[in-house]
Amino acid sequence: MSIKIQVPFILALVVLSTSAQAQMGIRYGAQHEKPTTAKFGSDWHMLLGWDFDLNDRLSGGLDFTTDMNWGSGYNMPDAAMAGPDFYEKVKTIGAQYRSQFHFTDNDDGASIYMGPTIGVRAIKHKIDYYEEVSNGWFSTSEFRETEASKVFFPLGMRLGVRGPLEGGYGDIFLAIGANIGSGDAPINDVRILRFEATPNKVFFQIGLCYGVGW
């Protein structure tokens, strides 16, 4: 819990200290990213972000994302040895800091940019299923519920096109990199299942945002 709270807070302090006099903007949008190997995971994320320009070629920002997996669960009968009564749910929350170099002036129309990005992701994986239990004479189906969490750190490069921050602006981007600390172990170790949800070692993001600057 302390990692989830402290890392975005520290990133926000760094950005605030370096952009006190910069032109700024607030953005909202959607981002597609599959953080785990779960068949039914949180692929689409809602994004709320902050942009700033340091000069006409350098900019940066901080994005907060959360999954759009708001349903009660997903039935996945082909993924469990326990039969058709199987449900899993993946919840994601994260923060992403980005530093961007613009190949043309960022205050003079849309500009292409590229730069590094680093963040933190917290994943929660919940599994509800029925397991056949035998006492030697007969078998019964018992309901099981298990939940586990994982934290890792996406580090990579981002490429996009962004409009000038003054007034309304848009941004379309893609990013690729490695999930540091993802590991090989399943988030939720349920041995009865044939398919486990493990964090993806490589991340790929694509997103579209609209913002208002001043």
Side-chain angles (χ1 to χ4, degrees):
M1 181 62 67
S2 62
I3 294 178
K4 296 181 213 178
I5 297 174
Q6 292 176 9
V7 172
F9 180 70
I10 293 171
L11 288 175
L13 287 178
V14 171
V15 175
L16 281 169
S17 65
T18 58
S19 59
Q21 304 300 321
Q23 190 169 7
M24 302 181 194
I26 299 294
R27 66 169 57 199
Y28 176 80
Q31 175 177 295
H32 186 274
E33 177 185 4
K34 189 170 179 61
T36 77
T37 59
K39 286 182 174 291
F40 291 90
S42 49
D43 296 354
W44 283 100
H45 300 77
M46 184 172 63
L47 183 151
L48 180 63
W50 176 39
D51 292 286
F52 61 89
D53 285 344
L54 292 174
N55 55 44
D56 58 3
R57 291 299 178 98
L58 295 177
S59 70
L62 183 65
D63 296 331
F64 295 94
T65 58
T66 182
D67 65 85
M68 296 191 199
N69 189 1
W70 298 320
S72 59
Y74 296 96
N75 192 2
M76 194 171 67
D78 63 332
M81 297 175 66
D85 297 318
F86 172 88
Y87 301 86
E88 75 170 351
K89 192 169 187 178
V90 178
K91 300 292 293 178
T92 309
I93 188 169
Q96 198 84 18
Y97 177 76
R98 45 193 163 78
S99 179
Q100 300 154 176
F101 173 79
H102 295 254
F103 294 96
T104 57
D105 289 354
N106 55 33
D107 58 355
D108 185 22
S111 58
I112 299 173
Y113 66 82
M114 178 181 288
T117 177
I118 185 171
V120 58
R121 291 283 185 281
I123 308 290
K124 181 185 291 185
H125 186 213
K126 180 180 179 181
I127 298 176
D128 297 343
Y129 63 99
Y130 285 89
E131 182 179 6
E132 292 293 328
V133 179
S134 175
N135 63 1
W137 294 92
F138 59 89
S139 297
T140 59
S141 182
E142 296 187 3
F143 179 76
R144 311 289 190 192
E145 184 176 20
T146 180
E147 183 178 291
S149 301
K150 179 81 173 180
V151 175
F152 51 86
F153 304 90
L155 174 63
M157 293 293 293
R158 178 164 167 157
L159 175 68
V161 179
R162 199 208 72 186
L165 292 185
E166 185 176 358
Y169 65 95
D171 184 16
I172 183 170
F173 64 88
L174 59 88
I176 189 171
N179 286 319
I180 308 301
S182 57
D184 297 319
I187 299 173
N188 207 336
D189 189 11
V190 181
R191 292 182 176 84
I192 194 171
L193 306 179
R194 293 200 303 267
F195 301 101
E196 297 280 16
T198 59
N200 284 320
K201 292 184 177 181
V202 175
F203 73 83
F204 178 79
Q205 302 167 351
I206 183 168
L208 177 64
C209 297
Y210 178 79
V212 177
W214 61 90

PDB file of all heavy atoms in Angstrom, residues 134-161:
ATOM      1  N   SER A 134     -13.470 -34.362  -2.537  1.00  0.00           N
ATOM      2  CA  SER A 134     -13.885 -35.728  -2.232  1.00  0.00           C
ATOM      3  C   SER A 134     -13.430 -36.106  -0.833  1.00  0.00           C
ATOM      4  O   SER A 134     -12.302 -35.797  -0.423  1.00  0.00           O
ATOM      5  CB  SER A 134     -13.301 -36.699  -3.257  1.00  0.00           C
ATOM      6  OG  SER A 134     -13.596 -38.029  -2.899  1.00  0.00           O
ATOM      7  N   ASN A 135     -14.324 -36.782  -0.088  1.00  0.00           N
ATOM      8  CA  ASN A 135     -13.951 -37.282   1.236  1.00  0.00           C
ATOM      9  C   ASN A 135     -13.714 -38.786   1.240  1.00  0.00           C
ATOM     10  O   ASN A 135     -13.635 -39.422   2.291  1.00  0.00           O
ATOM     11  CB  ASN A 135     -15.025 -36.915   2.259  1.00  0.00           C
ATOM     12  CG  ASN A 135     -16.361 -37.566   1.944  1.00  0.00           C
ATOM     13  OD1 ASN A 135     -16.485 -38.322   0.963  1.00  0.00           O
ATOM     14  ND2 ASN A 135     -17.360 -37.288   2.765  1.00  0.00           N
ATOM     15  N   GLY A 136     -13.593 -39.361   0.060  1.00  0.00           N
ATOM     16  CA  GLY A 136     -13.380 -40.799  -0.075  1.00  0.00           C
ATOM     17  C   GLY A 136     -14.640 -41.571  -0.399  1.00  0.00           C
ATOM     18  O   GLY A 136     -14.575 -42.668  -0.981  1.00  0.00           O
ATOM     19  N   TRP A 137     -15.801 -41.038  -0.036  1.00  0.00           N
ATOM     20  CA  TRP A 137     -17.073 -41.707  -0.294  1.00  0.00           C
ATOM     21  C   TRP A 137     -17.865 -40.999  -1.392  1.00  0.00           C
ATOM     22  O   TRP A 137     -18.458 -41.650  -2.247  1.00  0.00           O
ATOM     23  CB  TRP A 137     -17.915 -41.750   0.987  1.00  0.00           C
ATOM     24  CG  TRP A 137     -17.295 -42.608   2.058  1.00  0.00           C
ATOM     25  CD1 TRP A 137     -16.459 -42.204   3.039  1.00  0.00           C
ATOM     26  CD2 TRP A 137     -17.443 -44.016   2.204  1.00  0.00           C
ATOM     27  NE1 TRP A 137     -16.067 -43.255   3.816  1.00  0.00           N
ATOM     28  CE2 TRP A 137     -16.664 -44.398   3.335  1.00  0.00           C
ATOM     29  CE3 TRP A 137     -18.159 -44.999   1.520  1.00  0.00           C
ATOM     30  CZ2 TRP A 137     -16.587 -45.707   3.776  1.00  0.00           C
ATOM     31  CZ3 TRP A 137     -18.089 -46.310   1.962  1.00  0.00           C
ATOM     32  CH2 TRP A 137     -17.300 -46.657   3.073  1.00  0.00           C
ATOM     33  N   PHE A 138     -17.869 -39.706  -1.348  1.00  0.00           N
ATOM     34  CA  PHE A 138     -18.593 -38.942  -2.362  1.00  0.00           C
ATOM     35  C   PHE A 138     -17.905 -37.592  -2.532  1.00  0.00           C
ATOM     36  O   PHE A 138     -17.095 -37.174  -1.695  1.00  0.00           O
ATOM     37  CB  PHE A 138     -20.068 -38.777  -1.988  1.00  0.00           C
ATOM     38  CG  PHE A 138     -20.271 -38.069  -0.673  1.00  0.00           C
ATOM     39  CD1 PHE A 138     -20.371 -36.688  -0.608  1.00  0.00           C
ATOM     40  CD2 PHE A 138     -20.354 -38.797   0.513  1.00  0.00           C
ATOM     41  CE1 PHE A 138     -20.554 -36.036   0.597  1.00  0.00           C
ATOM     42  CE2 PHE A 138     -20.532 -38.143   1.729  1.00  0.00           C
ATOM     43  CZ  PHE A 138     -20.631 -36.771   1.774  1.00  0.00           C
ATOM     44  N   SER A 139     -18.271 -36.916  -3.617  1.00  0.00           N
ATOM     45  CA  SER A 139     -17.661 -35.625  -3.939  1.00  0.00           C
ATOM     46  C   SER A 139     -18.704 -34.519  -3.848  1.00  0.00           C
ATOM     47  O   SER A 139     -19.888 -34.739  -4.151  1.00  0.00           O
ATOM     48  CB  SER A 139     -17.065 -35.646  -5.348  1.00  0.00           C
ATOM     49  OG  SER A 139     -16.027 -36.589  -5.439  1.00  0.00           O
ATOM     50  N   THR A 140     -18.236 -33.364  -3.442  1.00  0.00           N
ATOM     51  CA  THR A 140     -19.089 -32.175  -3.402  1.00  0.00           C
ATOM     52  C   THR A 140     -18.387 -31.025  -4.109  1.00  0.00           C
ATOM     53  O   THR A 140     -17.152 -31.014  -4.227  1.00  0.00           O
ATOM     54  CB  THR A 140     -19.410 -31.756  -1.945  1.00  0.00           C
ATOM     55  OG1 THR A 140     -18.181 -31.484  -1.260  1.00  0.00           O
ATOM     56  CG2 THR A 140     -20.177 -32.862  -1.231  1.00  0.00           C
ATOM     57  N   SER A 141     -19.162 -30.061  -4.551  1.00  0.00           N
ATOM     58  CA  SER A 141     -18.612 -28.884  -5.208  1.00  0.00           C
ATOM     59  C   SER A 141     -18.633 -27.735  -4.212  1.00  0.00           C
ATOM     60  O   SER A 141     -19.706 -27.336  -3.738  1.00  0.00           O
ATOM     61  CB  SER A 141     -19.448 -28.538  -6.442  1.00  0.00           C
ATOM     62  OG  SER A 141     -18.908 -27.432  -7.112  1.00  0.00           O
ATOM     63  N   GLU A 142     -17.469 -27.219  -3.901  1.00  0.00           N
ATOM     64  CA  GLU A 142     -17.354 -26.151  -2.912  1.00  0.00           C
ATOM     65  C   GLU A 142     -16.878 -24.859  -3.571  1.00  0.00           C
ATOM     66  O   GLU A 142     -16.000 -24.877  -4.422  1.00  0.00           O
ATOM     67  CB  GLU A 142     -16.381 -26.547  -1.796  1.00  0.00           C
ATOM     68  CG  GLU A 142     -16.850 -27.727  -0.979  1.00  0.00           C
ATOM     69  CD  GLU A 142     -15.949 -27.997   0.212  1.00  0.00           C
ATOM     70  OE1 GLU A 142     -14.988 -27.215   0.420  1.00  0.00           O
ATOM     71  OE2 GLU A 142     -16.191 -28.994   0.935  1.00  0.00           O
ATOM     72  N   PHE A 143     -17.486 -23.759  -3.148  1.00  0.00           N
ATOM     73  CA  PHE A 143     -17.146 -22.454  -3.702  1.00  0.00           C
ATOM     74  C   PHE A 143     -15.848 -21.936  -3.082  1.00  0.00           C
ATOM     75  O   PHE A 143     -15.663 -21.974  -1.870  1.00  0.00           O
ATOM     76  CB  PHE A 143     -18.276 -21.462  -3.437  1.00  0.00           C
ATOM     77  CG  PHE A 143     -18.005 -20.083  -3.964  1.00  0.00           C
ATOM     78  CD1 PHE A 143     -18.098 -19.803  -5.311  1.00  0.00           C
ATOM     79  CD2 PHE A 143     -17.657 -19.062  -3.091  1.00  0.00           C
ATOM     80  CE1 PHE A 143     -17.855 -18.527  -5.797  1.00  0.00           C
ATOM     81  CE2 PHE A 143     -17.415 -17.776  -3.563  1.00  0.00           C
ATOM     82  CZ  PHE A 143     -17.516 -17.519  -4.919  1.00  0.00           C
ATOM     83  N   ARG A 144     -14.936 -21.444  -3.935  1.00  0.00           N
ATOM     84  CA  ARG A 144     -13.678 -20.854  -3.483  1.00  0.00           C
ATOM     85  C   ARG A 144     -13.581 -19.419  -3.991  1.00  0.00           C
ATOM     86  O   ARG A 144     -14.001 -19.107  -5.103  1.00  0.00           O
ATOM     87  CB  ARG A 144     -12.474 -21.640  -4.013  1.00  0.00           C
ATOM     88  CG  ARG A 144     -12.535 -23.141  -3.807  1.00  0.00           C
ATOM     89  CD  ARG A 144     -12.358 -23.502  -2.365  1.00  0.00           C
ATOM     90  NE  ARG A 144     -12.183 -24.931  -2.193  1.00  0.00           N
ATOM     91  CZ  ARG A 144     -12.233 -25.545  -1.016  1.00  0.00           C
ATOM     92  NH1 ARG A 144     -12.461 -24.849   0.084  1.00  0.00           N
ATOM     93  NH2 ARG A 144     -12.069 -26.858  -0.941  1.00  0.00           N
ATOM     94  N   GLU A 145     -12.992 -18.571  -3.169  1.00  0.00           N
ATOM     95  CA  GLU A 145     -12.766 -17.178  -3.550  1.00  0.00           C
ATOM     96  C   GLU A 145     -11.371 -16.768  -3.104  1.00  0.00           C
ATOM     97  O   GLU A 145     -11.010 -16.936  -1.938  1.00  0.00           O
ATOM     98  CB  GLU A 145     -13.805 -16.265  -2.903  1.00  0.00           C
ATOM     99  CG  GLU A 145     -13.700 -14.813  -3.326  1.00  0.00           C
ATOM    100  CD  GLU A 145     -14.805 -13.972  -2.733  1.00  0.00           C
ATOM    101  OE1 GLU A 145     -15.408 -14.399  -1.726  1.00  0.00           O
ATOM    102  OE2 GLU A 145     -15.064 -12.894  -3.272  1.00  0.00           O
ATOM    103  N   THR A 146     -10.575 -16.287  -4.043  1.00  0.00           N
ATOM    104  CA  THR A 146      -9.203 -15.916  -3.717  1.00  0.00           C
ATOM    105  C   THR A 146      -8.833 -14.631  -4.441  1.00  0.00           C
ATOM    106  O   THR A 146      -9.333 -14.341  -5.535  1.00  0.00           O
ATOM    107  CB  THR A 146      -8.222 -17.048  -4.087  1.00  0.00           C
ATOM    108  OG1 THR A 146      -6.888 -16.641  -3.761  1.00  0.00           O
ATOM    109  CG2 THR A 146      -8.291 -17.385  -5.558  1.00  0.00           C
ATOM    110  N   GLU A 147      -7.944 -13.859  -3.823  1.00  0.00           N
ATOM    111  CA  GLU A 147      -7.560 -12.552  -4.366  1.00  0.00           C
ATOM    112  C   GLU A 147      -6.099 -12.286  -4.030  1.00  0.00           C
ATOM    113  O   GLU A 147      -5.647 -12.599  -2.928  1.00  0.00           O
ATOM    114  CB  GLU A 147      -8.458 -11.474  -3.768  1.00  0.00           C
ATOM    115  CG  GLU A 147      -8.216 -10.081  -4.281  1.00  0.00           C
ATOM    116  CD  GLU A 147      -9.190  -9.090  -3.660  1.00  0.00           C
ATOM    117  OE1 GLU A 147     -10.396  -9.168  -3.978  1.00  0.00           O
ATOM    118  OE2 GLU A 147      -8.743  -8.279  -2.830  1.00  0.00           O
ATOM    119  N   ALA A 148      -5.364 -11.725  -4.985  1.00  0.00           N
ATOM    120  CA  ALA A 148      -3.950 -11.400  -4.767  1.00  0.00           C
ATOM    121  C   ALA A 148      -3.595 -10.144  -5.547  1.00  0.00           C
ATOM    122  O   ALA A 148      -4.284  -9.771  -6.502  1.00  0.00           O
ATOM    123  CB  ALA A 148      -3.052 -12.559  -5.182  1.00  0.00           C
ATOM    124  N   SER A 149      -2.499  -9.481  -5.135  1.00  0.00           N
ATOM    125  CA  SER A 149      -2.082  -8.218  -5.752  1.00  0.00           C
ATOM    126  C   SER A 149      -0.612  -8.273  -6.147  1.00  0.00           C
ATOM    127  O   SER A 149       0.162  -9.069  -5.617  1.00  0.00           O
ATOM    128  CB  SER A 149      -2.317  -7.045  -4.799  1.00  0.00           C
ATOM    129  OG  SER A 149      -3.676  -6.939  -4.446  1.00  0.00           O
ATOM    130  N   LYS A 150      -0.253  -7.384  -7.066  1.00  0.00           N
ATOM    131  CA  LYS A 150       1.126  -7.288  -7.551  1.00  0.00           C
ATOM    132  C   LYS A 150       1.413  -5.841  -7.924  1.00  0.00           C
ATOM    133  O   LYS A 150       0.555  -5.153  -8.477  1.00  0.00           O
ATOM    134  CB  LYS A 150       1.312  -8.196  -8.779  1.00  0.00           C
ATOM    135  CG  LYS A 150       2.690  -8.170  -9.402  1.00  0.00           C
ATOM    136  CD  LYS A 150       3.667  -9.044  -8.655  1.00  0.00           C
ATOM    137  CE  LYS A 150       5.000  -9.147  -9.375  1.00  0.00           C
ATOM    138  NZ  LYS A 150       5.959  -9.999  -8.660  1.00  0.00           N
ATOM    139  N   VAL A 151       2.624  -5.374  -7.635  1.00  0.00           N
ATOM    140  CA  VAL A 151       3.059  -4.024  -8.020  1.00  0.00           C
ATOM    141  C   VAL A 151       4.312  -4.143  -8.871  1.00  0.00           C
ATOM    142  O   VAL A 151       5.239  -4.885  -8.525  1.00  0.00           O
ATOM    143  CB  VAL A 151       3.343  -3.152  -6.773  1.00  0.00           C
ATOM    144  CG1 VAL A 151       3.911  -1.795  -7.189  1.00  0.00           C
ATOM    145  CG2 VAL A 151       2.072  -2.961  -5.946  1.00  0.00           C
ATOM    146  N   PHE A 152       4.346  -3.436 -10.018  1.00  0.00           N
ATOM    147  CA  PHE A 152       5.553  -3.406 -10.839  1.00  0.00           C
ATOM    148  C   PHE A 152       5.675  -2.031 -11.492  1.00  0.00           C
ATOM    149  O   PHE A 152       4.807  -1.164 -11.327  1.00  0.00           O
ATOM    150  CB  PHE A 152       5.568  -4.531 -11.879  1.00  0.00           C
ATOM    151  CG  PHE A 152       4.327  -4.628 -12.718  1.00  0.00           C
ATOM    152  CD1 PHE A 152       4.174  -3.868 -13.860  1.00  0.00           C
ATOM    153  CD2 PHE A 152       3.310  -5.504 -12.370  1.00  0.00           C
ATOM    154  CE1 PHE A 152       3.036  -3.954 -14.638  1.00  0.00           C
ATOM    155  CE2 PHE A 152       2.161  -5.607 -13.139  1.00  0.00           C
ATOM    156  CZ  PHE A 152       2.029  -4.834 -14.272  1.00  0.00           C
ATOM    157  N   PHE A 153       6.778  -1.825 -12.239  1.00  0.00           N
ATOM    158  CA  PHE A 153       7.146  -0.485 -12.696  1.00  0.00           C
ATOM    159  C   PHE A 153       7.409  -0.478 -14.201  1.00  0.00           C
ATOM    160  O   PHE A 153       8.455  -0.953 -14.652  1.00  0.00           O
ATOM    161  CB  PHE A 153       8.380   0.001 -11.932  1.00  0.00           C
ATOM    162  CG  PHE A 153       8.193  -0.024 -10.445  1.00  0.00           C
ATOM    163  CD1 PHE A 153       8.532  -1.148  -9.708  1.00  0.00           C
ATOM    164  CD2 PHE A 153       7.648   1.069  -9.790  1.00  0.00           C
ATOM    165  CE1 PHE A 153       8.340  -1.183  -8.334  1.00  0.00           C
ATOM    166  CE2 PHE A 153       7.459   1.051  -8.418  1.00  0.00           C
ATOM    167  CZ  PHE A 153       7.798  -0.077  -7.688  1.00  0.00           C
ATOM    168  N   PRO A 154       6.482   0.056 -15.017  1.00  0.00           N
ATOM    169  CA  PRO A 154       6.693   0.155 -16.458  1.00  0.00           C
ATOM    170  C   PRO A 154       7.760   1.202 -16.794  1.00  0.00           C
ATOM    171  O   PRO A 154       7.707   2.336 -16.314  1.00  0.00           O
ATOM    172  CB  PRO A 154       5.317   0.585 -16.996  1.00  0.00           C
ATOM    173  CG  PRO A 154       4.365   0.357 -15.868  1.00  0.00           C
ATOM    174  CD  PRO A 154       5.153   0.510 -14.618  1.00  0.00           C
ATOM    175  N   LEU A 155       8.701   0.821 -17.638  1.00  0.00           N
ATOM    176  CA  LEU A 155       9.772   1.710 -18.071  1.00  0.00           C
ATOM    177  C   LEU A 155       9.947   1.554 -19.570  1.00  0.00           C
ATOM    178  O   LEU A 155      10.182   0.440 -20.061  1.00  0.00           O
ATOM    179  CB  LEU A 155      11.079   1.366 -17.353  1.00  0.00           C
ATOM    180  CG  LEU A 155      12.338   2.116 -17.793  1.00  0.00           C
ATOM    181  CD1 LEU A 155      12.195   3.608 -17.522  1.00  0.00           C
ATOM    182  CD2 LEU A 155      13.575   1.552 -17.107  1.00  0.00           C
ATOM    183  N   GLY A 156       9.814   2.658 -20.325  1.00  0.00           N
ATOM    184  CA  GLY A 156       9.925   2.526 -21.769  1.00  0.00           C
ATOM    185  C   GLY A 156       9.993   3.856 -22.479  1.00  0.00           C
ATOM    186  O   GLY A 156      10.366   4.878 -21.903  1.00  0.00           O
ATOM    187  N   MET A 157       9.609   3.840 -23.778  1.00  0.00           N
ATOM    188  CA  MET A 157       9.639   5.028 -24.631  1.00  0.00           C
ATOM    189  C   MET A 157       8.242   5.287 -25.186  1.00  0.00           C
ATOM    190  O   MET A 157       7.473   4.355 -25.436  1.00  0.00           O
ATOM    191  CB  MET A 157      10.623   4.838 -25.789  1.00  0.00           C
ATOM    192  CG  MET A 157      12.076   4.758 -25.369  1.00  0.00           C
ATOM    193  SD  MET A 157      12.694   6.321 -24.682  1.00  0.00           S
ATOM    194  CE  MET A 157      12.646   7.375 -26.145  1.00  0.00           C
ATOM    195  N   ARG A 158       7.973   6.571 -25.382  1.00  0.00           N
ATOM    196  CA  ARG A 158       6.650   6.979 -25.859  1.00  0.00           C
ATOM    197  C   ARG A 158       6.805   7.852 -27.097  1.00  0.00           C
ATOM    198  O   ARG A 158       7.677   8.726 -27.157  1.00  0.00           O
ATOM    199  CB  ARG A 158       5.933   7.741 -24.751  1.00  0.00           C
ATOM    200  CG  ARG A 158       4.562   8.278 -25.128  1.00  0.00           C
ATOM    201  CD  ARG A 158       3.833   8.651 -23.853  1.00  0.00           C
ATOM    202  NE  ARG A 158       2.649   9.443 -24.070  1.00  0.00           N
ATOM    203  CZ  ARG A 158       1.647   9.518 -23.203  1.00  0.00           C
ATOM    204  NH1 ARG A 158       1.717   8.858 -22.069  1.00  0.00           N
ATOM    205  NH2 ARG A 158       0.598  10.263 -23.459  1.00  0.00           N
ATOM    206  N   LEU A 159       5.941   7.644 -28.086  1.00  0.00           N
ATOM    207  CA  LEU A 159       5.923   8.401 -29.330  1.00  0.00           C
ATOM    208  C   LEU A 159       4.501   8.896 -29.556  1.00  0.00           C
ATOM    209  O   LEU A 159       3.541   8.123 -29.405  1.00  0.00           O
ATOM    210  CB  LEU A 159       6.367   7.532 -30.505  1.00  0.00           C
ATOM    211  CG  LEU A 159       6.289   8.147 -31.905  1.00  0.00           C
ATOM    212  CD1 LEU A 159       7.305   9.264 -32.059  1.00  0.00           C
ATOM    213  CD2 LEU A 159       6.491   7.072 -32.967  1.00  0.00           C
ATOM    214  N   GLY A 160       4.360  10.171 -29.899  1.00  0.00           N
ATOM    215  CA  GLY A 160       3.017  10.692 -30.099  1.00  0.00           C
ATOM    216  C   GLY A 160       2.979  11.981 -30.880  1.00  0.00           C
ATOM    217  O   GLY A 160       4.009  12.528 -31.290  1.00  0.00           O
ATOM    218  N   VAL A 161       1.764  12.474 -31.076  1.00  0.00           N
ATOM    219  CA  VAL A 161       1.516  13.759 -31.727  1.00  0.00           C
ATOM    220  C   VAL A 161       0.585  14.546 -30.813  1.00  0.00           C
ATOM    221  O   VAL A 161      -0.495  14.064 -30.453  1.00  0.00           O
ATOM    222  CB  VAL A 161       0.869  13.589 -33.109  1.00  0.00           C
ATOM    223  CG1 VAL A 161       0.610  14.957 -33.747  1.00  0.00           C
ATOM    224  CG2 VAL A 161       1.733  12.729 -34.011  1.00  0.00           C
TER     225      VAL A 161
END
